[in-house]
Amino acid sequence: MKRRTFLATTAAAVAAPGILRAQTKANVLRFVPEADVVIFDPVTTPSWQTRDYAYLVYDTLYGMDDQNRPQPQMVEGANTSADGLTWTLSLREGLRFHDNEPVRAQDVVPSIRRWGARDAFGQALLAATNEISAKGDRVVEIRLKKPFPLLPNALGKTMAYPCMVMPERVAKSDPFKAITETVGSGPYRFVANERVPGAKLVFEKFAAYQPRNGGKPEQTAGPKAAHFDRIEWTIMQDTATAAAALQRGEIDWLQTPNNDLIPTLRTNKNIVVRTILPTGLIAYMRFNHLVPPFNNPAIRRALIGAIDQRDYMIAINGADKSLWRDGVGYFAPTSPYASKAGMEKLTGKRDYARVKAELEKAGYKGEKVVMLVAVNIPYLKMMGEVSNDVFKKIGLNVDYVATDWTTVVQRRQKTEPAEQGGWNIFSIYDNGANELDPASHLLLRGNGKEAQFGWPTMPKIEELRNAWFDAKAPADQKKICEQIQLQAFEEVPYIPLGQSIPPTAYRNTITGVLSGHPFFWNVRRSA
């Protein structure tokens, strides 16, 4: 039988009028994300919307519990050789893709390789690997050059660039070019023909999905039970409109309500407002290291002295300190590797005149600074406004590009100079769980063109990162992370702007909402 020739009959059935039966409110979950999905490939973008979409339609070999410990997911079990150099992963029986083809080890091997080409943790795993091969349809063998005990952590990471399993023919595609076809094996199937760009995404329950038996559902670990027949994402850029719709019961779940509206939502007995993201969100200012003026590390260092994290956090979250934290360095505050090393550079007295003089000394000559600001997302607009005010005070020639999130996602991937459609700087959030350790900390990679947009080249940080992987004792790892932070203050891959602890809001008839991202398995309606 010929594998992976996409079933024309299935595609025709999906497109046929009337294939979806009429849905009642009881079995449809209506969700409002922060923004639309722009790229439908979790390997080629760290976008949260892409990641959340991907968790609906794809599955992972391992999942993470609430203590961020890896648990088998698609994997039934694993054996490790005595010397730690060979891992044998066995897949669960009954796994199927949405085209009804079985999931095989032959699909897993290129999926790991494609993911590992882009992800920081995956790159470390592949660098330690001799060979990944299929030993039959349900067995994957990974032979290593040296022991890599964090292998399950890598394959089960939940943040940017999770390792999703795709069909072999899709997984063999260029990891630097976004795929356009969605064939996953997760609990929900993406209904492409109902997609309305900028307005709507639809997912249907995949009847052939078999949740893992046993265990407690936590984040991406344990059984993933799909209780809704249909999940609809409605894109609402106006947060007040979305909050009003939530209060009227027209939607079930608003991912991130505007902070100004939280007090009102809290007084509504029909709405639950709670934090599901214990690691918070780390705001950061990212530079394009390839082009002037921020290809000059002295200019990046000078800019640190103008940044007051409190200004950003109050602008985004208000004065309520339960919603934010300042004094945040290059590792998340909840990380065992968070430290005060070099933090005086961020927490000392701010002096705009001194920063302006340091910029001139560093060689800044009034070059235009193209700053991308997604004004259709409130917190990104606020970050941009604070930065714009600071930059003017220190004499930067700012070109404030007010645009939308879709354009930022597309433009930030450009390596060309700003005058050729590129960029110099933008600010955004990173999930705090991405910044718990050097393994998944994409923003601290210094591997040039292979790094995340911004593309810093920082060989010293790369050396320290490799030393962290090789270190045996936790105390040694912590010391290395202090050295990484000190080096980051010298090379400045980005500037941390503080930590937000945002709540989400949903109707009180919705139960089973897990910690972490907006995960849709195990969520159900109680009445």
Side-chain angles (χ1 to χ4, degrees):
M1 178 179 179
K2 222 173 189 182
R3 289 225 1 125
R4 302 298 175 239
T5 300
F6 190 66
L7 303 182
T9 53
T10 300
V14 170
I19 190 67
L20 298 177
R21 66 182 181 82
Q23 303 290 332
T24 64
K25 186 174 181 180
N27 60 14
V28 178
L29 178 71
R30 296 176 173 87
F31 173 75
V32 176
E34 289 183 349
D36 195 10
V37 178
V38 179
I39 299 172
F40 290 80
D41 184 353
V43 169
T44 59
T45 178
S47 167
W48 301 351
Q49 289 72 42
T50 299
R51 175 205 62 205
D52 296 342
Y53 143 87
Y55 269 116
L56 275 163
V57 300
Y58 296 103
D59 212 346
T60 56
L61 297 168
Y62 286 85
M64 286 290 181
D65 63 20
D66 284 347
Q67 285 72 49
N68 288 311
R69 297 173 303 194
Q71 306 293 342
Q73 186 52 237
M74 297 177 77
V75 169
E76 183 177 69
N79 291 316
T80 311
S81 62
D83 59 7
L85 295 179
T86 301
W87 287 68
T88 304
L89 311 180
S90 300
L91 298 177
R92 289 194 285 126
E93 289 189 24
L95 300 177
R96 303 195 76 82
F97 285 111
H98 296 162
D99 60 6
N100 287 319
E101 292 282 356
V103 177
R104 308 169 307 152
Q106 291 87 341
D107 302 299
V108 172
V109 171
S111 293
I112 293 175
R113 290 199 173 280
R114 186 170 188 268
W115 156 78
R118 296 299 303 266
D119 178 66
F121 211 159
Q123 289 166 354
L125 172 59
L126 292 188
T129 298
N130 269 324
E131 184 183 9
I132 307 175
S133 60
K135 302 296 182 182
D137 282 350
R138 290 181 49 220
V139 177
V140 176
E141 183 180 87
I142 303 177
R143 294 194 299 108
L144 302 171
K145 301 172 186 175
K146 60 180 180 180
F148 198 92
L150 294 176
L151 184 146
N153 301 67
L155 297 179
K157 55 168 292 195
T158 61
M159 300 304 122
Y161 301 114
C163 182
M164 305 291 191
V165 174
M166 301 176 179
E168 180 182 14
R169 59 185 174 78
V170 177
K172 284 185 173 180
S173 60
D174 184 350
F176 292 88
K177 183 178 180 181
I179 59 174
T180 57
E181 180 184 348
T182 298
V183 183
S185 64
Y188 286 91
R189 179 180 67 83
F190 178 51
V191 186
N193 68 311
E194 291 195 52
R195 160 81 167 135
V196 180
K200 184 179 180 181
L201 296 95
V202 175
F203 307 86
E204 279 188 333
K205 181 178 179 178
F206 179 44
Y209 182 78
Q210 297 184 13
R212 184 175 188 84
N213 290 325
K216 180 182 177 182
E218 293 182 343
Q219 292 199 77
T220 57
K224 297 179 179 179
H227 294 299
F228 288 93
D229 291 340
R230 184 175 168 94
I231 293 175
E232 296 179 356
W233 288 16
T234 302
I235 313 304
M236 293 186 182
Q237 299 297 349
D238 186 281
T239 54
T241 300
L246 179 66
Q247 293 185 82
R248 292 192 298 266
E250 295 169 359
I251 62 171
D252 300 301
W253 188 355
L254 173 57
Q255 181 178 1
T256 309
N258 192 352
N259 285 326
D260 292 343
L261 304 172
I262 289 175
T264 300
L265 295 176
R266 288 191 191 279
T267 62
N268 190 323
K269 65 180 182 179
N270 297 315
I271 294 174
V272 175
V273 179
R274 58 177 275 239
T275 296
I276 63 172
L277 198 63
T279 54
L281 302 174
I282 310 298
Y284 67 94
M285 179 183 294
R286 183 67 159 181
F287 305 102
N288 186 338
H289 292 243
L290 300 182
V291 297
F294 298 125
N295 59 343
N296 182 341
I299 291 177
R300 301 194 300 268
R301 280 196 297 272
L303 202 57
I304 295 176
I307 300 302
D308 189 333
Q309 292 186 347
R310 291 171 300 177
D311 291 342
Y312 286 89
M313 292 297 98
I314 291 173
I316 297 168
N317 303 292
D320 184 356
K321 282 215 69 174
S322 69
L323 297 175
W324 57 273
R325 182 184 285 120
D326 60 348
V328 176
Y330 283 94
F331 291 96
T334 51
S335 166
Y337 304 115
S339 75
K340 296 187 180 299
M343 285 298 293
E344 66 279 358
K345 297 181 184 298
L346 265 175
T347 58
K349 183 179 179 181
R350 307 294 89 178
D351 186 335
Y352 294 143
R354 177 176 57 81
V355 171
K356 187 173 183 178
E358 288 180 353
L359 286 171
E360 292 176 359
K361 183 179 179 181
Y364 178 65
K365 297 180 174 59
E367 297 96 334
K368 184 180 290 186
V369 173
V370 173
M371 181 171 67
L372 304 181
V373 183
V375 296
N376 62 325
I377 298 181
Y379 61 81
L380 296 182
K381 183 174 184 290
M382 293 170 188
M383 289 186 202
E385 290 175 350
V386 174
S387 295
N388 194 40
D389 180 62
V390 170
F391 292 168
K392 288 180 178 178
K393 289 177 179 177
I394 60 177
L396 289 186
N397 179 15
V398 183
D399 181 5
Y400 183 105
V401 179
T403 185
D404 57 30
W405 172 241
T406 299
T407 302
V408 172
V409 169
Q410 295 169 339
R411 190 167 174 177
R412 69 181 177 178
Q413 299 184 74
K414 294 180 177 293
T415 58
E416 296 84 1
E419 59 270 18
Q420 296 177 24
W423 57 280
N424 295 114
I425 195 169
F426 69 88
S427 296
I428 197 173
Y429 277 129
D430 187 28
N431 197 302
N434 283 334
E435 302 187 9
L436 294 176
D437 58 50
S440 294
H441 203 328
L442 291 172
L443 295 171
L444 275 180
R445 291 305 308 271
N447 52 337
K449 286 291 187 71
E450 294 183 1
Q452 198 180 44
F453 31 75
W455 311 284
T457 297
M458 303 178 297
K460 179 61 177 176
I461 285 181
E462 287 291 294
E463 290 174 12
L464 289 168
R465 179 175 182 269
N466 291 335
W468 181 86
F469 276 110
D470 293 336
K472 305 300 182 185
D476 293 336
Q477 289 182 317
K478 186 172 179 62
K479 184 175 181 180
I480 290 168
C481 287
E482 290 177 357
Q483 294 173 318
I484 289 175
Q485 179 155 296
L486 289 171
Q487 190 63 28
F489 276 119
E490 288 299 309
E491 302 196 64
V492 199
Y494 67 95
I495 300 178
L497 302 177
Q499 180 192 45
S500 292
I501 309 168
T504 194
Y506 50 88
R507 301 288 297 184
N508 65 358
T509 53
I510 300 300
T511 63
V513 176
L514 301 176
S515 293
H517 310 304
F519 298 125
F520 295 90
W521 46 81
N522 303 303
V523 178
R524 66 172 79 220
R525 194 187 308 278
S526 62

